[in-house]
Amino acid sequence: MEGTVGVVFLSLLCLASEINGQEAILHISNGDTEREFCIVHNHSWTPLAQSLDSATEYQLVNMTSSLLCDSSEILPSSVKGKALVVMRGNCDFSQKALIAQRFGATTLLIASNETLITPSANESEYAKVNISLALMRHRDFLEAWKVFGTQMQVKLYAPPYTKIDPSIAVILLISIGTVILGGYWSGECERERLNSGATGGGRGGGESKADSGELSLYSPLKVVIFVALMCGMLVLMYFFYKVLVYIIIAIFCLASASALYSCFDAVMDKIGCGTLSFSVRNWNFSVRSLLLAAVCISIAVVWGVYRNEDRWIWILQDLLGIAFCLNFMKTISLSNFKNGVSIMVQVALGPDASGEKTQGNMVAIPAEPQPPSEKLPVVMRVPRLLAWAQNLCMMQFSILGYGDIIVPGLLVAYCSRFDVWIKSKRKVYFISCCIAYFLGMILTFIVMLLSGMGQPALLYLVPFTVITSAVVAGCRGEMKQFWAGTTYQVLDSSREPLLPERRTDRSVDGERC
């Protein structure tokens, strides 16, 4: 359940002693048409211009019929003052570069049918090469050749890499917005349940809409079983990932479609949107329900079919993920603070299930289309908006695990329901816990940016939300009620709520706080 919040770096900032690999951009034009392609270069060996305007333009000579391992393969008059592209293989990058440089070439592009790696050589060879050197996909060159032919003019440039990206702000908005909405929804459902119970429409006189489908974790045993099931699933995923990943994808499609329907239906109820009904052979159908079901199922199916299309499918995955988290927070409820602390600590110390891994220092990009590697749909994904060069090579994402929303969200939802039980007009518990979650996320991002590594967000979110909630309850003199929660309601739901009465006995303590 635990997710990891972090930016997926394909090229990290390296130490000075390490190879400084970097994605860059190959800009090709003929005066009327322009295209850009991914290239990989070694910045510490052959630095490139940082912008298109500052890059020098050269005519590109097609020598992909040659490997350029022998000086006899080149005519000096054909490459002098120009860029040339040759095939990868048979000799070192430095040998190809030295031959091209000897005959006056200004830039060497090496087309590769293999995985693109950072071009490197012996330390003694670095100082000898003074021309730009980069690797590109052979299929990209073939595509450019069809468009431009012999009229290709090229520029090579490498935009500076920035750690701070606007996608982080989007991830923050998604996380805090989902937690706030989920907590508010849970509190409103509890208010509706109590109101229906007070008018004889509660569990004693029929199940209310707010009660339907809800599951309360009211005992430590349930919490332990809940966490054990999650950990057991992680163990099974470790041994049988290739099979279980498709089962989880299918379950996610069903669960997220159902959750999206619940969210849309609740919005329709909130805005007072009416519905038409019709009957077929004594079966009653709601037009609104049918339309919503069709839309939600269609969205889930489209995501399932195109789940590996990184360029745009992240929008649907985030939409379904938000709905899934909201419905989870509304459906699964904590009955007391004790169970909340137990489940948060156990999950926070558990293994990572995000399915996303941070890349290492060496740039390695597939040159040809590869079979998509299936990933667990348990993260929010937002593409890095400023990583233009990196996105040309492979889409870069800021990610947030569902667990980083759901686990603290359960406590936020409990605080929202507790405000309802004590009839707090200011929603002091709910607001305080939401602020704590926001500050925990801010600290997570700060540590991530300073360290250059993805961070386990629950390591920061759990202490912030748990301690803040405990301090508020202790300061208001309500820790006993906050800790015990609704045990009395589980045992006997017909009893009148006791929390408001107990609150009056401690009103002096609350005023002092």
Side-chain angles (χ1 to χ4, degrees), residues 152-173:
M152 287 189 286
Q153 301 289 325
V154 299
K155 289 184 177 182
L156 280 65
Y157 68 102
Y161 179 83
T162 58
K163 281 189 174 183
I164 301 178
D165 190 90
S167 60
I168 295 178
V170 178
I171 284 289
L172 182 62
L173 288 176

Side-chain angles (χ1 to χ4, degrees), residues 1-2 215 217 219-236 328 332 334 338-351 353 406-407 410 458:
M1 178 64 67
E2 180 189 356
L215 174 64
L217 300 178
S219 68
L221 179 59
K222 275 193 173 183
V223 172
V224 172
I225 294 175
F226 182 69
V227 175
L229 288 175
M230 292 189 295
C231 293
M233 178 59 69
L234 294 181
V235 173
L236 292 175
F328 193 99
I332 307 296
L334 298 173
K338 175 179 62 177
N339 290 341
V341 172
S342 175
I343 193 171
M344 291 182 72
V345 171
Q346 291 182 66
V347 174
L349 298 178
I406 291 175
V407 176
L410 291 176
L458 293 181

Side-chain angles (χ1 to χ4, degrees), residues 107-150:
T107 301
L108 176 62
L109 290 171
I110 301 175
S112 176
N113 286 317
E114 304 172 18
T115 299
L116 300 186
I117 62 173
T118 304
S120 59
N122 295 328
E123 292 290 339
S124 59
E125 300 292 328
Y126 284 178
K128 298 178 182 179
V129 178
N130 300 316
I131 64 173
S132 300
L133 171 67
L135 271 68
M136 68 178 301
R137 299 182 181 100
H138 185 221
R139 61 183 173 88
D140 286 346
F141 175 76
L142 294 178
E143 179 183 338
W145 183 258
K146 291 179 181 179
V147 176
F148 300 99
T150 59

Side-chain angles (χ1 to χ4, degrees), residues 22 39 161 244 255 317 354 359 362 388 428 481 500:
Q22 183 179 356
I39 58 176
Y161 179 83
L244 289 179
Q317 180 166 329
S354 66
Q359 302 291 332
M362 179 67 75
W388 176 242
V428 60
Q481 299 98 311

Side-chain angles (χ1 to χ4, degrees), residues 262-298:
S262 297
C263 294
F264 284 163
D265 190 53
V267 171
M268 292 294 183
D269 285 339
K270 192 70 174 178
I271 63 178
C273 180
T275 181
L276 298 176
S277 299
F278 64 92
S279 299
V280 177
R281 295 182 179 181
N282 297 326
W283 289 83
N284 294 323
F285 297 93
S286 167
V287 175
R288 188 182 82 181
S289 298
L290 292 177
L291 290 176
L292 287 180
V295 170
C296 296
I297 293 174
S298 299

Side-chain angles (χ1 to χ4, degrees), residues 406-418:
I406 291 175
V407 176
L410 291 176
L411 180 57
V412 173
Y414 171 71
C415 289
S416 180
R417 293 194 303 276
F418 190 79

